[in-house]
Amino acid sequence: MTGAVRPFIPAMGRHWMLFLYDPFTRAAGISKVHGQLLDRAGVQPGHRVLEVGCGPGDLLMQLGRRVPEADLMGIDPDPAALRKARRKAARRGLTVQFMLAYADELPLPDDSLDRVLSSYMLHHLDQEPQVAAMREIRRILRPGGELHLLDADGTPRPGTRGHQHPRLAGHTPERIQAVMRQGGLTEVSQTGHGSRRIAGHYSFFRAVA
């Protein structure tokens, strides 16, 4: 990891709640949503793939089963989540490299990846680090490489309680796409959306380096 240790928001919002991650994601049906993200990403054998903010590694576990010939990596600032991810990969016999790092300081060389994935990570960052993370993703993607991003949709919906978390205020698909463009990515588009009873509303995005 480069730079000094910084505060961060962990996968479940509180460090002590990490043990709830697996039961929560099962109840929320996140595996199916991850499958939709992977359908869009089109990872092929031989691709080098990074998940930014991998947490306990569920998305990469699913991808490793789908495309075992891909070169998979994940970064996260949470050592406890990475330990959990490594245990999962070992139990499943999957080879995944997990690194302690921040989204705006990726420990990878320029033009070195075919795909970058991100799942429910972007809203954990403030606005300036969001743009910095997009710049880093643009830097490490090869020309023509793609970012595929899934995140909560904070669009206000009259008549429903919807997302009430303050970090989702203004976190709309339009804002997410603007951040991607500010980071230097091109061909930015929203590729789908949906909702689940526990997880709430979410959207998928694609961009090209």
Side-chain angles (χ1 to χ4, degrees), residues 46-50 71 73 99 106-116 136-143 145 209:
H47 274 179
R48 299 192 74 215
V49 182
L50 172 71
D71 181 4
M73 296 167 280
M99 297 172 283
L106 299 176
L108 292 162
D110 296 357
D111 304 334
S112 60
L113 297 180
D114 300 287
R115 295 287 187 275
V116 173
E136 276 290 270
I137 289 168
R138 168 65 186 85
R139 178 184 66 78
I140 65 173
L141 277 169
R142 292 171 176 148

Side-chain angles (χ1 to χ4, degrees), residues 56-134:
D58 288 3
L59 178 62
L60 289 170
M61 299 302 107
Q62 189 174 154
L63 178 55
R65 292 192 297 270
R66 282 193 180 205
V67 192
E69 304 88 353
D71 181 4
L72 305 182
M73 296 167 280
I75 69 103
D76 201 275
D78 187 347
L82 293 175
R83 287 193 294 270
K84 191 176 182 71
R86 291 185 183 108
R87 289 195 297 268
K88 287 181 179 180
R91 287 198 301 268
R92 292 163 174 78
L94 298 174
T95 300
V96 184
Q97 181 183 1
F98 292 104
M99 297 172 283
L100 191 68
Y102 294 93
D104 58 356
E105 292 185 58
L106 299 176
L108 292 162
D110 296 357
D111 304 334
S112 60
L113 297 180
D114 300 287
R115 295 287 187 275
V116 173
L117 308 176
S118 174
S119 172
Y120 288 105
M121 182 281 297
L122 192 64
H123 70 278
H124 285 192
L125 304 179
D126 293 332
Q127 181 174 334
E128 187 175 335
Q130 285 181 359
V131 175
M134 293 301 118

Side-chain angles (χ1 to χ4, degrees), residues 136-200:
E136 276 290 270
I137 289 168
R138 168 65 186 85
R139 178 184 66 78
I140 65 173
L141 277 169
R142 292 171 176 148
E146 298 176 4
L147 165 65
H148 288 268
L149 185 148
L150 158 68
D151 210 351
D153 179 352
T155 301
R157 289 173 171 84
T160 64
R161 291 187 61 82
H163 290 297
Q164 297 298 315
H165 195 286
R167 296 205 70 85
L168 292 176
H171 193 71
T172 63
E174 294 76 18
R175 173 60 193 153
I176 293 169
Q177 291 175 85
V179 165
M180 295 166 83
R181 293 189 183 97
Q182 288 172 46
L185 294 161
T186 64
E187 300 181 36
V188 175
S189 63
Q190 181 180 358
T191 59
H193 60 87
S195 66
R196 300 193 70 85
R197 182 174 59 86
I198 297 176

